[in-house]
Amino acid sequence: MVSWCVALLVLGGCVSVGPPGASEQSAIERGEMAVLLMRWTGTVEGEPFAAAAGAGPLINRFYTSLGNLDTLAPIRGFDIQRHLTRESRETGWVYFLLPPGQHILVLRGTDRAAFDASCPAVRLEVPAGVPVIYAGHLHVDLDRGQRQLLHVPTVATSRGLRVSDEREHAFAVAAASLPQYPAPRVVLMRVYGRAPDEGAADPRPLDGLLITGGLTVDVDELRRRAAERGAAPGLAISGAALQAGGAAPNDPLGAIIVGATFVAGLAIASFGAVAGSIAGAAEEARWREHLEEAAAAVRAADLPHRIAEELQSIMPAASPGAIDVHIEPDTQVEDGLHPDRRTLVVRMLPLLLRECAERRTFCFELTARVRLWDPDEQRWAFDEYMVWTNAAAKREPSIYLRPIPHESPVLHLDELADPSAEAIVRQRLVDGARHLAQEIVHRLGRP
């Protein structure tokens, strides 16, 4: 296997040509990895190009990175582009080695600084026990972006992604380079985060509805931010004290004086760190005193049942009878999933109290993983994370979480101390569950 890296990272990344190595083949045989084969091509303002030709798909076009929907692992800057042969590379064929599960391939234009929810992405599915998967032909339409560094083209939105099926070509490519494995299983990629007006994901009626989770409140992030905010003055004291040591003079006496000053600085720094920890604990305590009120409001809102009721009222059933509805506390849904029933599975992650821009304000952040099981294809027809949050929330951008249009209201922490707060918060959480359910239906499409 031949591999090389481009010298300038802004121009691309690493390219690898050749089939999997011996250790990788052993992992494939054990079912730990699979070869996911795909082809991509594209256009730049209407002019076609072979995305993998020339110096590789990263050069002056876009970076590609892999994510994992099952673990929500951090997205790396870029992933190595692998090609079975130089000839297949010239026509746009690439492959990835992936473990079984749900993954996303994220595209970032080279004029963008980071990955976030606005980056186009496709979902890749790797079934267990399958050595080679064909994920389809991805066509990428590019524009000239902001004409920044080197005037490079960039992927605009998910509207510029189209997936088609060239399985016969894929079978020929795999037979030539991977003859030791059976013909690839066709599991076509799906666009991740596509807007409803770009085509419904799957508007067919449902047989079942399964809601899991949604009964707990996660305050770890809130506590951490409170502790950091309280510790900030102590850290400032620490930095000033250490800086007071200055640069050591050349004479021995000066070195002794500076050394003593540095030791004193360490003592002051330690005091500053302790003072910061105490302040952080006090700040956290002020938040903690109202957390039970928030937890009570979550329990009273009964979000899983609220979402189930809303979905039942607006989702069509496959038969004249009602949709088969189950609400379970655990998140291991595959064991209870009926393989022959079109089932919508909504896994509600713990409700998060997310700090907002103004001090002592927060919003409730409600996140759900929404999946639709297709019994005809025996796979997930839809799998995305949706989040009800507020633009003012202090949060890192995430490629996984796609905010819904309706925002969570910003609340002041002191509001939770009011006797009427529980009823008000409960109603707002009910509103959030309704907005989330409506967005789920909107994304899946109605017949």
Side-chain angles (χ1 to χ4, degrees):
M1 181 171 63
V2 180
S3 64
W4 63 91
C5 288
V6 181
L8 294 177
L9 181 59
V10 296
L11 294 181
C14 296
V15 176
S16 173
V17 177
S23 62
E24 294 170 332
Q25 292 186 38
S26 297
I28 294 171
E29 293 171 0
R30 294 192 300 268
E32 299 171 357
M33 290 286 178
V35 176
L36 188 139
L37 183 65
M38 60 181 291
R39 177 174 177 251
W40 61 46
T41 57
T43 63
V44 179
E45 295 186 347
E47 294 296 324
F49 70 91
L58 300 182
I59 297 298
N60 292 352
R61 297 187 177 105
F62 50 84
Y63 299 114
T64 57
S65 289
L66 290 165
N68 190 307
L69 289 170
D70 298 320
T71 65
L72 300 182
I75 303 291
R76 297 185 295 185
F78 64 92
D79 279 275
I80 296 176
Q81 305 303 304
R82 305 187 65 160
H83 312 273
L84 292 170
T85 64
R86 292 180 182 273
E87 293 74 21
S88 65
R89 176 171 176 258
E90 290 299 316
T91 54
W93 288 94
V94 299
Y95 76 92
F96 300 96
L97 287 176
L98 297 173
Q102 303 288 332
H103 308 267
I104 59 172
L105 178 68
V106 188
L107 311 180
R108 173 169 64 87
T110 49
D111 63 343
R112 295 178 59 88
F115 291 98
D116 58 31
S118 66
C119 292
V122 292
R123 176 169 59 90
L124 308 174
E125 184 169 351
V126 179
V130 180
V132 183
I133 296 105
Y134 168 58
H137 171 203
L138 177 63
H139 184 86
V140 183
D141 289 329
L142 308 178
D143 60 25
R144 290 295 179 185
Q146 301 177 26
R147 295 184 179 273
Q148 292 182 353
L149 180 64
L150 301 180
H151 302 277
V152 297
T154 181
V155 185
T157 67
S158 61
R159 297 176 189 275
L161 306 182
R162 296 192 299 278
V163 179
S164 59
D165 189 349
E166 299 177 333
R167 65 182 67 190
E168 297 302 328
H169 192 182
F171 293 164
V173 170
S177 299
L178 302 168
Q180 68 271 41
Y181 301 118
R185 178 183 293 185
V186 179
V187 186
L188 297 181
M189 68 188 91
R190 306 284 175 88
V191 176
Y192 188 84
R194 178 180 303 209
D197 59 354
E198 296 178 59
D202 193 330
R204 290 174 290 179
L206 293 179
D207 296 308
L209 173 63
L210 175 61
I211 311 290
T212 69
L215 300 175
T216 58
V217 180
D218 184 355
V219 298
D220 288 343
E221 188 268 350
L222 193 64
R223 288 173 174 167
R224 177 183 61 80
R225 295 190 71 93
E228 288 176 351
R229 185 170 51 249
L235 294 177
I237 293 173
S238 303
L242 292 175
Q243 190 176 7
N250 293 325
D251 61 285
L253 180 60
I256 294 174
I257 294 174
V258 169
T261 304
F262 183 75
V263 172
L266 285 177
I268 298 174
S270 299
F271 171 78
V274 172
S277 298
I278 294 173
E283 180 72 13
E284 178 187 339
R286 286 194 291 270
W287 282 97
R288 191 191 311 122
E289 65 186 19
H290 297 309
L291 294 181
E292 183 56 36
E293 288 89 340
V298 172
R299 290 190 295 269
D302 196 359
L303 298 179
H305 283 87
R306 295 290 182 177
I307 289 183
E309 291 172 358
E310 189 70 26
L311 290 171
Q312 279 182 280
S313 67
I314 53 182
M315 291 292 285
S319 62
I323 300 175
D324 186 20
V325 179
H326 291 281
I327 299 177
E328 303 289 346
D330 60 79
T331 59
Q332 301 300 318
V333 301
E334 283 76 4
D335 295 338
L337 191 67
H338 198 293
D340 298 325
R341 298 176 66 84
R342 190 176 309 282
T343 304
L344 178 65
V345 179
V346 180
R347 176 195 168 194
M348 301 179 65
L349 277 63
L351 185 73
L352 185 65
L353 273 68
R354 177 74 73 177
E355 185 182 16
C356 291
E358 183 182 347
R359 186 168 181 173
R360 296 181 65 80
T361 63
F362 71 98
C363 70
F364 289 112
E365 191 166 280
L366 181 60
T367 304
R369 184 180 186 181
V370 182
R371 291 186 283 178
L372 179 63
W373 176 255
D374 185 351
D376 298 330
E377 297 187 16
Q378 289 292 295
R379 62 171 296 193
W380 296 106
F382 184 87
D383 187 352
E384 290 184 12
Y385 286 86
M386 302 181 189
V387 57
W388 179 60
T389 186
N390 192 286
K394 292 183 177 180
R395 57 195 300 272
E396 294 296 325
S398 172
I399 187 64
Y400 298 107
L401 306 184
R402 301 299 169 119
I404 67 174
H406 293 88
E407 289 192 330
S408 171
V410 174
L411 306 174
H412 196 279
L413 185 65
D414 294 336
E415 293 182 52
L416 294 179
D418 190 277
S420 62
E422 183 175 333
I424 296 174
V425 170
R426 182 171 66 249
Q427 183 57 51
R428 288 175 174 172
L429 291 175
V430 170
D431 292 341
R434 184 178 68 256
H435 292 318
L436 183 60
Q438 291 173 346
E439 182 65 16
I440 292 172
V441 175
H442 192 41
R443 292 298 308 278
L444 294 178
R446 295 186 63 180

